[in-house]
Every structure is written in C-alpha cells, then in structure tokens.
C-alpha cells in the first residue's frame, strides 16, 4: 500500500475503541454484518426503466449471501419479460454483490436489484424478525393459487369514466352499474385456476364457469357492461 509523503511524516496516534458495525436484524437474529456471507433474508425491490414505461418487482430469498430463490415480475413493457426470463435463470447461485454487478439487461430489473440490495444489507427484509427466515420456495406464495402475479389494471377517462380490467381476483369481463351508472361490483375470472382445470382435462367452458366469481353488489346492478368494449 502506498502513502503520500505527508502521511508518511505524521506521528502515529493509537486508535481508540473499535466497536465494529451496528447489528442488523436477520431471520430472528442480530447480526454484525462484515462480509457478504453474513447477509440472509427474503425481501423485495421495485425498479423502473429509464423511460419509466415499465416496472419490475424482484423478490430474492438469500441465505448466507447466496441467492437461493428469485421471483421476477414485470409490467408495462413486452421486452422486459424476456429480460426477466434471463434474470430469473442467472440470479440464483450468485452472491448479492455479484448480482448487483450483473447486467440484467433491463433497466427496471437492474434498478430493482439495487433497491433490494440496499434494503437487505441494512436489515430491512420481510424476514428480519422471523426465526430461520423462510424456506426456499416461499417466493411463490406472493403469486397465490394458479401462480399468477397479483396485478391490477385500471383505465379511466374524464369523458367516459373508469374501467376495471384486471383485479387481484383475476380478469374482469363485466362491470355492474347501478341506476346512476356508478360501479357497484364486477365479475371476475380466476385465469390461473381455470388454466389448471383445463390442463387437468376439464372442458374449457366448464373450467371457465367453475372459476367465475363476483364482487360487491354485483347481483343488484341495473345493467352490466364489458369494460373492454362498452
């Protein structure tokens, strides 16, 4: 190691107490994190691309600095889904420092990795106070039955009002309106469960009918509209 002449000439002064880093909560323990292998936990990061037309939610389950599980959810950009396919394959097995410095192609995924890294190294994880954290596979719990992302898609105009297109329950084929033309409920189709039923051999129409539900005062509506066509 090289020192400047000014430093070389300085008198050596003994250092005072060195207490190390402040402890951070990790999987039910307080950890003095000094190296990447000291970091564990399951957490999420949200990222966006430079033109801000798309976004990514990244979920990683990290054990002793190694990414054991990755869930990449994207919205708003078709190209982003292809980047997500690559990211989900190459992130696992890397340390979180390697992942931070890996080109994940998509700005949104890279930004999500940065935000997640900041959270996890400061102890802001979903499992900070959960003893032993969560097992590998827990990332799928965010998707629910049918393994589909929880997505909300709404559209509105001043001239024609709002349209619910996709709710957490699923695809919305009908909106229920009262006599004032205000929305009082909706019909939804759980596409994940419907596709599972079809793959299991059920007739498509039967699978559709079995996975249709309603929300709100749907049955009390004066009329119903297709939010995509009316």
């Amino acid at each position: 190691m090289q020192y400047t002449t000014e430093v070389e000439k300085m008198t050596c002064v003994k250092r005072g107490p060195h207490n190390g880093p402040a402890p951070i909560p990790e999987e039910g323990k307080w950890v003095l994190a000094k190296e990447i292998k000291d970091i564990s936990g399951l957490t999420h990061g949200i990222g966006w691309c430079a033109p801000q037309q798309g976004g990514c939610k990244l979920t990683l389950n990290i054990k002793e600095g190694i990414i054991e599980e990755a869930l990449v959810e994207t919205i708003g950009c078709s190209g982003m889904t292809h980047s997500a396919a690559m990211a989900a394959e190459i992130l696992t097995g890397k340390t979180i420092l390697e992942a931070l410095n890996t080109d994940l192609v998509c700005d949104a995924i890279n930004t999500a990795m940065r935000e997640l890294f900041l959270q996890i190294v400061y102890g802001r994880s979903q499992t900070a106070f959960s003893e032993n954290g969560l097992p590998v596979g827990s990332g799928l719990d965010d998707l629910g039955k049918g393994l589909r992302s929880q997505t909300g898609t709404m559209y509105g105009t001043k001239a024609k009002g709002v349209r619910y297109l996709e709710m957490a329950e699923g695809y919305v084929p009908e909106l229920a309106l009262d006599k004032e033309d205000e929305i009082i409920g909706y019909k939804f189709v759980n596409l994940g469960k419907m596709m599972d039923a079809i793959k299991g051999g059920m007739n498509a129409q039967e699978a559709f009918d079995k996975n249709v539900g309603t929300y709100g005062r749907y049955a009390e509506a004066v009329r119903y509209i297709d939010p995509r066509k009316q």
Side-chain angles (χ1 to χ4, degrees):
M1 185 178 297
Q2 293 182 322
Y3 296 94
T4 64
T5 302
E6 289 79 8
V7 172
E8 288 279 7
K9 293 180 179 179
M10 288 180 180
T11 299
C12 187
V13 177
K14 185 176 180 179
R15 294 186 62 181
H18 180 62
N19 298 321
I24 60 174
E26 289 184 24
E27 301 190 338
K29 298 177 291 184
W30 290 96
V31 177
L32 297 176
K34 299 180 180 180
E35 301 179 28
I36 291 298
K37 66 181 179 61
D38 296 328
I39 302 297
S40 294
L42 183 146
T43 195
H44 314 280
I46 301 296
W48 53 94
C49 60
Q52 300 189 32
Q53 75 179 61
C56 169
K57 175 190 172 188
L58 177 63
T59 301
L60 299 182
N61 198 350
I62 299 157
K63 302 292 186 183
E64 297 181 349
I66 303 294
I67 298 171
E68 298 289 346
E69 176 184 17
L71 172 63
V72 189
E73 301 174 85
T74 63
I75 189 170
C77 172
S78 57
M80 193 182 294
T81 62
H82 296 277
S83 298
M86 182 200 74
E89 183 173 359
I90 67 174
L91 279 172
T92 53
K94 289 182 178 290
T95 70
I96 55 174
L97 185 58
E98 286 179 299
L100 185 66
N101 289 288
T102 296
D103 182 5
L104 301 174
V105 181
C106 170
D107 283 346
I109 304 175
N110 285 319
T111 305
M113 184 64 226
R114 181 194 71 196
E115 296 300 306
L116 186 152
F117 182 88
L118 290 173
Q119 292 179 49
I120 197 75
V121 297
Y122 284 118
R124 272 71 168 179
S125 72
Q126 184 175 321
T127 56
F129 300 102
S130 301
E131 188 174 355
N132 297 320
L134 291 172
V136 175
S138 298
L140 292 178
D141 293 344
D142 276 5
L143 300 178
K145 293 181 179 179
L147 300 185
R148 284 177 57 86
S149 296
Q150 301 297 304
T151 304
T153 307
M154 315 299 159
Y155 176 73
T157 61
K158 179 181 177 182
K160 299 295 182 177
V162 70
R163 301 293 186 275
Y164 302 168
L165 302 174
E166 186 101 14
M167 303 293 281
E169 299 94 335
Y171 176 94
V172 178
E174 278 187 352
L175 297 179
L177 307 182
D178 64 11
K179 62 182 180 180
E180 302 295 333
D181 283 338
E182 293 185 355
I183 297 174
I184 59 172
Y186 53 86
K187 178 188 289 186
F188 62 85
V189 184
N190 189 313
L191 295 180
K193 290 183 179 180
M194 184 184 80
M195 292 306 300
D196 284 344
I198 292 173
K199 287 189 293 182
M202 187 179 291
N203 173 274
Q205 185 61 54
E206 183 182 358
F208 176 87
D209 294 338
K210 284 184 175 295
N211 289 287
V212 168
T214 63
Y215 182 85
R217 294 184 290 120
Y218 179 85
E220 301 174 23
V222 173
R223 67 186 181 114
Y224 303 93
I225 65 169
D226 182 335
R228 290 170 175 78
K229 295 182 179 179
Q230 294 174 274

PDB file of all heavy atoms in Angstrom, residues 188-216:
ATOM      1  N   PHE A 188     -65.429 -11.585 -12.151  1.00  0.00           N
ATOM      2  CA  PHE A 188     -64.020 -11.869 -12.439  1.00  0.00           C
ATOM      3  C   PHE A 188     -63.844 -13.343 -12.779  1.00  0.00           C
ATOM      4  O   PHE A 188     -64.661 -14.196 -12.409  1.00  0.00           O
ATOM      5  CB  PHE A 188     -63.126 -11.490 -11.254  1.00  0.00           C
ATOM      6  CG  PHE A 188     -63.408 -12.259  -9.986  1.00  0.00           C
ATOM      7  CD1 PHE A 188     -62.836 -13.499  -9.759  1.00  0.00           C
ATOM      8  CD2 PHE A 188     -64.257 -11.730  -9.021  1.00  0.00           C
ATOM      9  CE1 PHE A 188     -63.098 -14.208  -8.593  1.00  0.00           C
ATOM     10  CE2 PHE A 188     -64.523 -12.429  -7.850  1.00  0.00           C
ATOM     11  CZ  PHE A 188     -63.945 -13.671  -7.637  1.00  0.00           C
ATOM     12  N   VAL A 189     -62.759 -13.625 -13.502  1.00  0.00           N
ATOM     13  CA  VAL A 189     -62.387 -14.995 -13.856  1.00  0.00           C
ATOM     14  C   VAL A 189     -60.978 -15.241 -13.333  1.00  0.00           C
ATOM     15  O   VAL A 189     -60.049 -14.504 -13.676  1.00  0.00           O
ATOM     16  CB  VAL A 189     -62.405 -15.218 -15.379  1.00  0.00           C
ATOM     17  CG1 VAL A 189     -62.109 -16.683 -15.696  1.00  0.00           C
ATOM     18  CG2 VAL A 189     -63.725 -14.795 -15.982  1.00  0.00           C
ATOM     19  N   ASN A 190     -60.832 -16.258 -12.485  1.00  0.00           N
ATOM     20  CA  ASN A 190     -59.513 -16.622 -11.986  1.00  0.00           C
ATOM     21  C   ASN A 190     -58.818 -17.447 -13.069  1.00  0.00           C
ATOM     22  O   ASN A 190     -59.028 -18.657 -13.194  1.00  0.00           O
ATOM     23  CB  ASN A 190     -59.626 -17.420 -10.688  1.00  0.00           C
ATOM     24  CG  ASN A 190     -58.283 -17.619 -10.021  1.00  0.00           C
ATOM     25  OD1 ASN A 190     -57.308 -17.998 -10.660  1.00  0.00           O
ATOM     26  ND2 ASN A 190     -58.228 -17.367  -8.719  1.00  0.00           N
ATOM     27  N   LEU A 191     -57.985 -16.777 -13.869  1.00  0.00           N
ATOM     28  CA  LEU A 191     -57.375 -17.438 -15.020  1.00  0.00           C
ATOM     29  C   LEU A 191     -56.395 -18.543 -14.622  1.00  0.00           C
ATOM     30  O   LEU A 191     -56.275 -19.544 -15.329  1.00  0.00           O
ATOM     31  CB  LEU A 191     -56.658 -16.400 -15.890  1.00  0.00           C
ATOM     32  CG  LEU A 191     -57.566 -15.351 -16.554  1.00  0.00           C
ATOM     33  CD1 LEU A 191     -56.721 -14.383 -17.376  1.00  0.00           C
ATOM     34  CD2 LEU A 191     -58.607 -16.015 -17.438  1.00  0.00           C
ATOM     35  N   GLY A 192     -55.693 -18.356 -13.514  1.00  0.00           N
ATOM     36  CA  GLY A 192     -54.754 -19.385 -13.075  1.00  0.00           C
ATOM     37  C   GLY A 192     -55.459 -20.701 -12.772  1.00  0.00           C
ATOM     38  O   GLY A 192     -55.064 -21.769 -13.257  1.00  0.00           O
ATOM     39  N   LYS A 193     -56.521 -20.621 -11.970  1.00  0.00           N
ATOM     40  CA  LYS A 193     -57.274 -21.832 -11.632  1.00  0.00           C
ATOM     41  C   LYS A 193     -57.955 -22.415 -12.866  1.00  0.00           C
ATOM     42  O   LYS A 193     -58.050 -23.636 -13.026  1.00  0.00           O
ATOM     43  CB  LYS A 193     -58.316 -21.510 -10.564  1.00  0.00           C
ATOM     44  CG  LYS A 193     -57.745 -21.218  -9.198  1.00  0.00           C
ATOM     45  CD  LYS A 193     -58.871 -20.982  -8.186  1.00  0.00           C
ATOM     46  CE  LYS A 193     -58.340 -20.717  -6.794  1.00  0.00           C
ATOM     47  NZ  LYS A 193     -59.432 -20.483  -5.822  1.00  0.00           N
ATOM     48  N   MET A 194     -58.458 -21.544 -13.740  1.00  0.00           N
ATOM     49  CA  MET A 194     -59.132 -22.024 -14.951  1.00  0.00           C
ATOM     50  C   MET A 194     -58.162 -22.808 -15.832  1.00  0.00           C
ATOM     51  O   MET A 194     -58.489 -23.905 -16.316  1.00  0.00           O
ATOM     52  CB  MET A 194     -59.696 -20.840 -15.736  1.00  0.00           C
ATOM     53  CG  MET A 194     -60.503 -21.256 -16.962  1.00  0.00           C
ATOM     54  SD  MET A 194     -61.069 -19.847 -17.959  1.00  0.00           S
ATOM     55  CE  MET A 194     -59.563 -19.507 -18.874  1.00  0.00           C
ATOM     56  N   MET A 195     -56.958 -22.291 -16.022  1.00  0.00           N
ATOM     57  CA  MET A 195     -55.985 -22.984 -16.852  1.00  0.00           C
ATOM     58  C   MET A 195     -55.534 -24.295 -16.215  1.00  0.00           C
ATOM     59  O   MET A 195     -55.308 -25.287 -16.918  1.00  0.00           O
ATOM     60  CB  MET A 195     -54.787 -22.083 -17.118  1.00  0.00           C
ATOM     61  CG  MET A 195     -55.098 -20.885 -18.005  1.00  0.00           C
ATOM     62  SD  MET A 195     -55.858 -21.352 -19.586  1.00  0.00           S
ATOM     63  CE  MET A 195     -54.581 -22.391 -20.293  1.00  0.00           C
ATOM     64  N   ASP A 196     -55.416 -24.322 -14.892  1.00  0.00           N
ATOM     65  CA  ASP A 196     -55.072 -25.575 -14.211  1.00  0.00           C
ATOM     66  C   ASP A 196     -56.145 -26.628 -14.453  1.00  0.00           C
ATOM     67  O   ASP A 196     -55.842 -27.809 -14.661  1.00  0.00           O
ATOM     68  CB  ASP A 196     -54.903 -25.337 -12.707  1.00  0.00           C
ATOM     69  CG  ASP A 196     -53.579 -24.667 -12.375  1.00  0.00           C
ATOM     70  OD1 ASP A 196     -52.681 -24.667 -13.238  1.00  0.00           O
ATOM     71  OD2 ASP A 196     -53.450 -24.149 -11.242  1.00  0.00           O
ATOM     72  N   ALA A 197     -57.403 -26.192 -14.420  1.00  0.00           N
ATOM     73  CA  ALA A 197     -58.515 -27.122 -14.651  1.00  0.00           C
ATOM     74  C   ALA A 197     -58.499 -27.654 -16.078  1.00  0.00           C
ATOM     75  O   ALA A 197     -58.711 -28.848 -16.317  1.00  0.00           O
ATOM     76  CB  ALA A 197     -59.839 -26.432 -14.352  1.00  0.00           C
ATOM     77  N   ILE A 198     -58.229 -26.783 -17.030  1.00  0.00           N
ATOM     78  CA  ILE A 198     -58.176 -27.205 -18.436  1.00  0.00           C
ATOM     79  C   ILE A 198     -57.015 -28.173 -18.647  1.00  0.00           C
ATOM     80  O   ILE A 198     -57.157 -29.200 -19.336  1.00  0.00           O
ATOM     81  CB  ILE A 198     -58.038 -25.974 -19.362  1.00  0.00           C
ATOM     82  CG1 ILE A 198     -59.326 -25.149 -19.321  1.00  0.00           C
ATOM     83  CG2 ILE A 198     -57.732 -26.406 -20.798  1.00  0.00           C
ATOM     84  CD1 ILE A 198     -59.234 -23.826 -20.057  1.00  0.00           C
ATOM     85  N   LYS A 199     -55.858 -27.876 -18.054  1.00  0.00           N
ATOM     86  CA  LYS A 199     -54.710 -28.787 -18.173  1.00  0.00           C
ATOM     87  C   LYS A 199     -55.010 -30.136 -17.541  1.00  0.00           C
ATOM     88  O   LYS A 199     -54.454 -31.160 -17.955  1.00  0.00           O
ATOM     89  CB  LYS A 199     -53.486 -28.155 -17.519  1.00  0.00           C
ATOM     90  CG  LYS A 199     -52.873 -27.003 -18.291  1.00  0.00           C
ATOM     91  CD  LYS A 199     -51.547 -26.559 -17.703  1.00  0.00           C
ATOM     92  CE  LYS A 199     -51.717 -25.944 -16.332  1.00  0.00           C
ATOM     93  NZ  LYS A 199     -50.424 -25.456 -15.778  1.00  0.00           N
ATOM     94  N   GLY A 200     -55.893 -30.113 -16.541  1.00  0.00           N
ATOM     95  CA  GLY A 200     -56.271 -31.358 -15.879  1.00  0.00           C
ATOM     96  C   GLY A 200     -57.302 -32.162 -16.642  1.00  0.00           C
ATOM     97  O   GLY A 200     -57.721 -33.233 -16.191  1.00  0.00           O
ATOM     98  N   GLY A 201     -57.758 -31.649 -17.792  1.00  0.00           N
ATOM     99  CA  GLY A 201     -58.685 -32.393 -18.639  1.00  0.00           C
ATOM    100  C   GLY A 201     -60.108 -31.867 -18.652  1.00  0.00           C
ATOM    101  O   GLY A 201     -60.964 -32.399 -19.354  1.00  0.00           O
ATOM    102  N   MET A 202     -60.414 -30.822 -17.899  1.00  0.00           N
ATOM    103  CA  MET A 202     -61.764 -30.277 -17.853  1.00  0.00           C
ATOM    104  C   MET A 202     -62.081 -29.520 -19.139  1.00  0.00           C
ATOM    105  O   MET A 202     -61.218 -28.871 -19.728  1.00  0.00           O
ATOM    106  CB  MET A 202     -61.921 -29.343 -16.645  1.00  0.00           C
ATOM    107  CG  MET A 202     -63.345 -28.843 -16.415  1.00  0.00           C
ATOM    108  SD  MET A 202     -63.471 -27.767 -14.945  1.00  0.00           S
ATOM    109  CE  MET A 202     -63.172 -28.952 -13.622  1.00  0.00           C
ATOM    110  N   ASN A 203     -63.315 -29.613 -19.572  1.00  0.00           N
ATOM    111  CA  ASN A 203     -63.782 -28.856 -20.728  1.00  0.00           C
ATOM    112  C   ASN A 203     -63.586 -27.362 -20.470  1.00  0.00           C
ATOM    113  O   ASN A 203     -63.807 -26.880 -19.372  1.00  0.00           O
ATOM    114  CB  ASN A 203     -65.263 -29.175 -20.975  1.00  0.00           C
ATOM    115  CG  ASN A 203     -65.881 -28.301 -22.040  1.00  0.00           C
ATOM    116  OD1 ASN A 203     -66.354 -27.198 -21.753  1.00  0.00           O
ATOM    117  ND2 ASN A 203     -65.866 -28.776 -23.266  1.00  0.00           N
ATOM    118  N   ALA A 204     -63.179 -26.617 -21.512  1.00  0.00           N
ATOM    119  CA  ALA A 204     -62.843 -25.201 -21.341  1.00  0.00           C
ATOM    120  C   ALA A 204     -64.023 -24.388 -20.807  1.00  0.00           C
ATOM    121  O   ALA A 204     -63.846 -23.537 -19.917  1.00  0.00           O
ATOM    122  CB  ALA A 204     -62.359 -24.610 -22.660  1.00  0.00           C
ATOM    123  N   GLN A 205     -65.215 -24.629 -21.321  1.00  0.00           N
ATOM    124  CA  GLN A 205     -66.379 -23.864 -20.862  1.00  0.00           C
ATOM    125  C   GLN A 205     -66.698 -24.189 -19.402  1.00  0.00           C
ATOM    126  O   GLN A 205     -67.015 -23.292 -18.606  1.00  0.00           O
ATOM    127  CB  GLN A 205     -67.603 -24.169 -21.735  1.00  0.00           C
ATOM    128  CG  GLN A 205     -68.829 -23.325 -21.411  1.00  0.00           C
ATOM    129  CD  GLN A 205     -68.583 -21.841 -21.608  1.00  0.00           C
ATOM    130  OE1 GLN A 205     -68.161 -21.414 -22.673  1.00  0.00           O
ATOM    131  NE2 GLN A 205     -68.849 -21.043 -20.570  1.00  0.00           N
ATOM    132  N   GLU A 206     -66.591 -25.460 -19.037  1.00  0.00           N
ATOM    133  CA  GLU A 206     -66.842 -25.854 -17.654  1.00  0.00           C
ATOM    134  C   GLU A 206     -65.796 -25.247 -16.727  1.00  0.00           C
ATOM    135  O   GLU A 206     -66.116 -24.762 -15.624  1.00  0.00           O
ATOM    136  CB  GLU A 206     -66.830 -27.374 -17.540  1.00  0.00           C
ATOM    137  CG  GLU A 206     -67.157 -27.883 -16.135  1.00  0.00           C
ATOM    138  CD  GLU A 206     -67.088 -29.397 -16.012  1.00  0.00           C
ATOM    139  OE1 GLU A 206     -66.827 -30.078 -17.023  1.00  0.00           O
ATOM    140  OE2 GLU A 206     -67.301 -29.898 -14.878  1.00  0.00           O
ATOM    141  N   ALA A 207     -64.551 -25.255 -17.173  1.00  0.00           N
ATOM    142  CA  ALA A 207     -63.470 -24.672 -16.374  1.00  0.00           C
ATOM    143  C   ALA A 207     -63.704 -23.176 -16.171  1.00  0.00           C
ATOM    144  O   ALA A 207     -63.481 -22.643 -15.083  1.00  0.00           O
ATOM    145  CB  ALA A 207     -62.124 -24.915 -17.050  1.00  0.00           C
ATOM    146  N   PHE A 208     -64.171 -22.519 -17.218  1.00  0.00           N
ATOM    147  CA  PHE A 208     -64.484 -21.091 -17.123  1.00  0.00           C
ATOM    148  C   PHE A 208     -65.595 -20.863 -16.101  1.00  0.00           C
ATOM    149  O   PHE A 208     -65.474 -20.036 -15.192  1.00  0.00           O
ATOM    150  CB  PHE A 208     -64.909 -20.561 -18.494  1.00  0.00           C
ATOM    151  CG  PHE A 208     -65.348 -19.127 -18.496  1.00  0.00           C
ATOM    152  CD1 PHE A 208     -64.433 -18.101 -18.655  1.00  0.00           C
ATOM    153  CD2 PHE A 208     -66.692 -18.791 -18.336  1.00  0.00           C
ATOM    154  CE1 PHE A 208     -64.841 -16.771 -18.660  1.00  0.00           C
ATOM    155  CE2 PHE A 208     -67.108 -17.475 -18.326  1.00  0.00           C
ATOM    156  CZ  PHE A 208     -66.174 -16.457 -18.487  1.00  0.00           C
ATOM    157  N   ASP A 209     -66.688 -21.601 -16.252  1.00  0.00           N
ATOM    158  CA  ASP A 209     -67.851 -21.428 -15.373  1.00  0.00           C
ATOM    159  C   ASP A 209     -67.513 -21.689 -13.905  1.00  0.00           C
ATOM    160  O   ASP A 209     -68.023 -21.002 -13.009  1.00  0.00           O
ATOM    161  CB  ASP A 209     -68.982 -22.365 -15.810  1.00  0.00           C
ATOM    162  CG  ASP A 209     -69.550 -22.000 -17.184  1.00  0.00           C
ATOM    163  OD1 ASP A 209     -69.375 -20.834 -17.599  1.00  0.00           O
ATOM    164  OD2 ASP A 209     -70.149 -22.879 -17.819  1.00  0.00           O
ATOM    165  N   LYS A 210     -66.637 -22.658 -13.650  1.00  0.00           N
ATOM    166  CA  LYS A 210     -66.298 -23.014 -12.272  1.00  0.00           C
ATOM    167  C   LYS A 210     -65.378 -21.997 -11.602  1.00  0.00           C
ATOM    168  O   LYS A 210     -65.240 -21.985 -10.378  1.00  0.00           O
ATOM    169  CB  LYS A 210     -65.649 -24.406 -12.230  1.00  0.00           C
ATOM    170  CG  LYS A 210     -66.618 -25.559 -12.388  1.00  0.00           C
ATOM    171  CD  LYS A 210     -65.906 -26.886 -12.244  1.00  0.00           C
ATOM    172  CE  LYS A 210     -66.888 -28.050 -12.273  1.00  0.00           C
ATOM    173  NZ  LYS A 210     -67.800 -28.041 -11.116  1.00  0.00           N
ATOM    174  N   ASN A 211     -64.754 -21.142 -12.401  1.00  0.00           N
ATOM    175  CA  ASN A 211     -63.798 -20.197 -11.843  1.00  0.00           C
ATOM    176  C   ASN A 211     -64.205 -18.741 -12.034  1.00  0.00           C
ATOM    177  O   ASN A 211     -63.380 -17.836 -12.007  1.00  0.00           O
ATOM    178  CB  ASN A 211     -62.405 -20.450 -12.439  1.00  0.00           C
ATOM    179  CG  ASN A 211     -61.796 -21.740 -11.937  1.00  0.00           C
ATOM    180  OD1 ASN A 211     -61.369 -21.829 -10.793  1.00  0.00           O
ATOM    181  ND2 ASN A 211     -61.789 -22.765 -12.778  1.00  0.00           N
ATOM    182  N   VAL A 212     -65.511 -18.547 -12.200  1.00  0.00           N
ATOM    183  CA  VAL A 212     -66.083 -17.200 -12.270  1.00  0.00           C
ATOM    184  C   VAL A 212     -66.628 -16.839 -10.891  1.00  0.00           C
ATOM    185  O   VAL A 212     -67.244 -17.660 -10.205  1.00  0.00           O
ATOM    186  CB  VAL A 212     -67.216 -17.133 -13.323  1.00  0.00           C
ATOM    187  CG1 VAL A 212     -68.001 -15.836 -13.184  1.00  0.00           C
ATOM    188  CG2 VAL A 212     -66.633 -17.237 -14.719  1.00  0.00           C
ATOM    189  N   GLY A 213     -66.386 -15.609 -10.477  1.00  0.00           N
ATOM    190  CA  GLY A 213     -66.917 -15.121  -9.214  1.00  0.00           C
ATOM    191  C   GLY A 213     -67.351 -13.677  -9.359  1.00  0.00           C
ATOM    192  O   GLY A 213     -67.141 -13.057 -10.402  1.00  0.00           O
ATOM    193  N   THR A 214     -67.963 -13.131  -8.341  1.00  0.00           N
ATOM    194  CA  THR A 214     -68.387 -11.729  -8.362  1.00  0.00           C
ATOM    195  C   THR A 214     -67.959 -11.035  -7.078  1.00  0.00           C
ATOM    196  O   THR A 214     -67.716 -11.681  -6.057  1.00  0.00           O
ATOM    197  CB  THR A 214     -69.911 -11.597  -8.535  1.00  0.00           C
ATOM    198  OG1 THR A 214     -70.565 -12.200  -7.405  1.00  0.00           O
ATOM    199  CG2 THR A 214     -70.379 -12.257  -9.817  1.00  0.00           C
ATOM    200  N   TYR A 215     -67.910  -9.717  -7.157  1.00  0.00           N
ATOM    201  CA  TYR A 215     -67.523  -8.915  -6.008  1.00  0.00           C
ATOM    202  C   TYR A 215     -68.469  -7.728  -5.867  1.00  0.00           C
ATOM    203  O   TYR A 215     -68.951  -7.186  -6.859  1.00  0.00           O
ATOM    204  CB  TYR A 215     -66.088  -8.411  -6.166  1.00  0.00           C
ATOM    205  CG  TYR A 215     -65.593  -7.609  -4.988  1.00  0.00           C
ATOM    206  CD1 TYR A 215     -65.036  -8.237  -3.873  1.00  0.00           C
ATOM    207  CD2 TYR A 215     -65.694  -6.215  -4.989  1.00  0.00           C
ATOM    208  CE1 TYR A 215     -64.588  -7.501  -2.784  1.00  0.00           C
ATOM    209  CE2 TYR A 215     -65.243  -5.467  -3.900  1.00  0.00           C
ATOM    210  CZ  TYR A 215     -64.699  -6.123  -2.806  1.00  0.00           C
ATOM    211  OH  TYR A 215     -64.265  -5.398  -1.728  1.00  0.00           O
ATOM    212  N   GLY A 216     -68.705  -7.329  -4.630  1.00  0.00           N
ATOM    213  CA  GLY A 216     -69.569  -6.176  -4.375  1.00  0.00           C
ATOM    214  C   GLY A 216     -71.044  -6.519  -4.519  1.00  0.00           C
ATOM    215  O   GLY A 216     -71.460  -7.659  -4.326  1.00  0.00           O
TER     216      GLY A 216
END
